[in-house]
Amino acid sequence: MENLPQHFDSVFTVDCIIFGFDEGELKILLIERNEEPFNGWFALPGYFVEKTESIESAAERILYECTGLKGIYMEQFYTFGALERHPQGRVITVAYYAMIRLTNQKDLKPVTTFARQAVWMPVKDMPELAFDHSRIFRKGFEKIRNKISYQPIAFELLPEKFTLTQLQHLYEVILNKKLDKRNFRKKMLAYDILKELDEKQKGVSYRAAKLYKFDKRKYAKHFNKELTFTKE
Amino acid sequence: MENLPQHFDSVFTVDCIIFGFDEGELKILLIERNEEPFNGWFALPGYFVEKTESIESAAERILYECTGLKGIYMEQFYTFGALERHPQGRVITVAYYAMIRLTNQKDLKPVTTFARQAVWMPVKDMPELAFDHSRIFRKGFEKIRNKISYQPIAFELLPEKFTLTQLQHLYEVILNKKLDKRNFRKKMLAYDILKELDEKQKGVSYRAAKLYKFDKRKYAKHFNKELTFTKE
DNA sequence: ACAAAAGTGTTCCCGCTACACCCATGG
DNA sequence: CCATGGGTGTAGCGGGAACACTTTTGT
């Protein structure tokens, strides 16, 4: 194989699975494509990586273009390169996922031309997606389902202040099974990564629950990891 | 960004971390490069992926060219695409690892021209590698160290028949810590994935140990996975 | 007989599971 | 006062960790 410099122009893409939690449902961000191929189909937000940017920053840029959000930690999880995955040629794609907090800004307008609109799609009514994106989604979903069972990463999806019941619901949705309330609370508090606030829920027609906050410091101490949740 | 068809020719590479276990040491397969850049440096076996092959088959081909081995199950673990990782341009690389049984054929002759020689390098004396291969290696090594603690994947490194002590040594080398003999045996036998043979070690000047074999059937039953160890 | 590794059980502790009732609040 | 979710404890079980001596074999 020749290795002439002009051959060193890789063309490849990034695709992102962006999880959000809203109205008790797990959702992911999809775009409706506005160009061929698969014009009009739903797809994962993703596009070509520029020659001058790293894969990570491309992922961040795409996420920004679809949501207006910046500085979200994304994790690479797999690279898909089947020969026939793109009808126009050989395009490999590096897949990332992110979990974001979607408060207020529920209706997102994409800042790009390649997407007609962006929507939060409940995971349970996922349509068939463009390219091999359905497959990418399944693999990514499996990944976070796995990860959440041994690492407390669900906070990223919740508002800053949340109740234990909200947190539990989120786990139940992701893991797709009922959890025991007492055991869940015991275990979660035993992790010692939550800070109990002097504040309660408001506006509910039943006993208000205590609010909690995720405590980055304690998390870092226990898991001796960088605080990768929100890259600063 | 334009998306003219002639731009749809990705150029990218595959790099492989191939683990072997020999003389009580964990080793990985390195090649000595025979072309620029990094001519003469040690590197992970890897090369460009052809336009007509999938990433997986490219990985297999490369492994074959370096070792003569076929049908080894390789697992993709990360894609590296930092801008400056290749001095001649933007080249992203998809990294795989494999664990192989290296009996008899300790001296491998590469079937390629881009490698001057292939060597089994003990992990503990790893030199600095070409490109960002040292980083790739560290990430891959961490991956298998992680994986081995919750999935019994170490058999692939041992000869077909092995003693429990050999298996334990292998775990100790990978995890880099001493394990308790009784607990190790108890746990390993409890997995119920070993078949005890009617055969003993030979040629040792002490009490001969029983030989065991990895039992694919039982493994598949417990882990309900395909028998991915040796793809047939 | 001695050197070297094979082989073997028990106890303790911790974390997970299962399970049901009273409490606070708003309407 | 009632409906709704908030909040709490305990007992049993199972898996992991710690720990030391006897057996077999070749030299």
Side-chain angles (χ1 to χ4, degrees), chain A residues 1 7 10-11 53 76 79, chain B residues 7 10-11 48 76 79 90:
Chain A
M1 170 173 283
H7 277 257
S10 278
V11 170
E53 65 187 348
Q76 185 194 308
T79 296
Chain B
H7 278 256
S10 280
V11 171
F48 293 95
Q76 184 194 309
T79 296
R90 179 65 179 276

Side-chain angles (χ1 to χ4, degrees), chain A residues 1-3 5 7-12 35-37 47-56 76-83 86 88-92 94 96 135 143, chain B residues 1-3 5 7-12 35-37 47-56 76-83 86 88-92 94 96 135 143:
Chain A
M1 170 173 283
E2 66 289 274
N3 54 353
H7 277 257
F8 282 70
D9 284 329
S10 278
V11 170
F12 60 98
E35 59 179 49
E36 294 298 340
Y47 212 63
F48 293 95
V49 177
E50 305 278 353
K51 293 187 180 65
T52 54
E53 65 187 348
S54 71
I55 316 186
E56 286 79 12
Q76 185 194 308
F77 69 91
Y78 205 74
T79 296
F80 298 84
L83 282 172
H86 196 297
Q88 288 174 268
R90 178 66 179 275
V91 180
I92 64 169
V94 184
Y96 282 77
R135 182 173 167 231
K143 194 91 176 191
Chain B
M1 171 173 284
E2 65 291 273
N3 52 354
H7 278 256
F8 281 70
D9 283 329
S10 280
V11 171
F12 60 97
E35 59 180 47
E36 292 300 338
Y47 212 63
F48 293 95
V49 177
E50 305 279 352
K51 293 186 179 64
T52 55
E53 65 186 347
S54 71
I55 316 186
E56 286 79 11
Q76 184 194 309
F77 69 92
Y78 205 75
T79 296
F80 297 84
L83 282 172
H86 196 296
Q88 288 173 269
R90 179 65 179 276
V91 181
I92 65 168
V94 183
Y96 282 78
R135 182 170 166 232
K143 194 89 177 192

Side-chain angles (χ1 to χ4, degrees), chain A residues 143-173:
Chain A
K143 194 91 176 191
I144 68 144
R145 191 185 290 134
N146 231 314
K147 184 157 186 172
I148 209 174
S149 11
Y150 63 90
Q151 268 193 24
I153 52 167
F155 313 100
E156 304 170 64
L157 288 168
L158 291 175
E160 207 186 349
K161 301 170 180 180
F162 52 85
T163 69
L164 288 178
T165 302
Q166 284 163 1
L167 184 59
Q168 182 179 343
H169 283 337
L170 174 53
Y171 270 81
E172 289 176 341
V173 168

Side-chain angles (χ1 to χ4, degrees), chain A residues 43-216:
Chain A
L44 296 175
Y47 212 63
F48 293 95
V49 177
E50 305 278 353
K51 293 187 180 65
T52 54
E53 65 187 348
S54 71
I55 316 186
E56 286 79 12
S57 35
E60 264 192 59
R61 175 176 57 82
I62 304 267
L63 177 54
Y64 169 70
E65 288 172 355
C66 296
T67 66
L69 287 167
K70 286 195 168 180
I72 301 296
Y73 173 67
M74 305 188 70
E75 189 142 339
Q76 185 194 308
F77 69 91
Y78 205 74
T79 296
F80 298 84
L83 282 172
E84 73 298 344
R85 64 171 297 280
H86 196 297
Q88 288 174 268
R90 178 66 179 275
V91 180
I92 64 169
T93 194
V94 184
Y96 282 77
Y97 67 78
M99 302 170 82
I100 71 173
R101 177 175 301 165
L102 58 117
T103 37
N104 314 332
Q105 50 199 344
K106 280 196 292 194
D107 30 302
L108 299 154
K109 283 276 181 293
V111 200
T112 61
T113 58
F114 63 84
R116 205 168 294 159
Q117 59 162 327
V119 297
W120 284 107
M121 179 71 71
V123 160
K124 62 174 176 44
D125 349 293
M126 286 282 288
E128 181 67 20
L129 303 179
F131 305 104
D132 55 352
H133 287 191
S134 291
R135 182 173 167 231
I136 296 177
F137 166 69
R138 282 192 298 273
K139 188 140 186 156
F141 191 32
E142 196 183 323
K143 194 91 176 191
I144 68 144
R145 191 185 290 134
N146 231 314
K147 184 157 186 172
I148 209 174
S149 11
Y150 63 90
Q151 268 193 24
I153 52 167
F155 313 100
E156 304 170 64
L157 288 168
L158 291 175
E160 207 186 349
K161 301 170 180 180
F162 52 85
T163 69
L164 288 178
T165 302
Q166 284 163 1
L167 184 59
Q168 182 179 343
H169 283 337
L170 174 53
Y171 270 81
E172 289 176 341
V173 168
I174 295 179
L175 297 176
N176 193 29
K177 65 177 172 188
K178 275 284 189 198
L179 300 174
D180 179 85
K181 183 160 60 157
R182 277 176 291 193
N183 292 337
F184 179 81
R185 285 161 180 251
K186 210 188 321 168
K187 184 171 173 177
M188 201 47 74
L189 294 174
Y191 275 139
D192 189 33
I193 53 173
L194 296 185
K195 183 193 270 172
E196 186 179 329
L197 301 177
D198 281 334
E199 210 175 330
K200 299 207 164 184
Q201 243 178 341
K202 275 177 189 147
V204 290
S205 68
Y206 46 81
R207 175 175 176 181
K210 270 185 213 149
L211 290 171
Y212 289 81
K213 230 173 132 168
F214 169 60
D215 189 330
K216 276 191 203 179

Side-chain angles (χ1 to χ4, degrees), chain B residues 13 53-54 62 66 71 76 102 121 144 183 210 212 215:
Chain B
T13 60
E53 65 186 347
S54 71
I62 304 270
C66 296
Q76 184 194 309
L102 59 116
M121 179 72 70
I144 68 144
N183 292 337
K210 271 185 214 148
Y212 290 81
D215 189 329

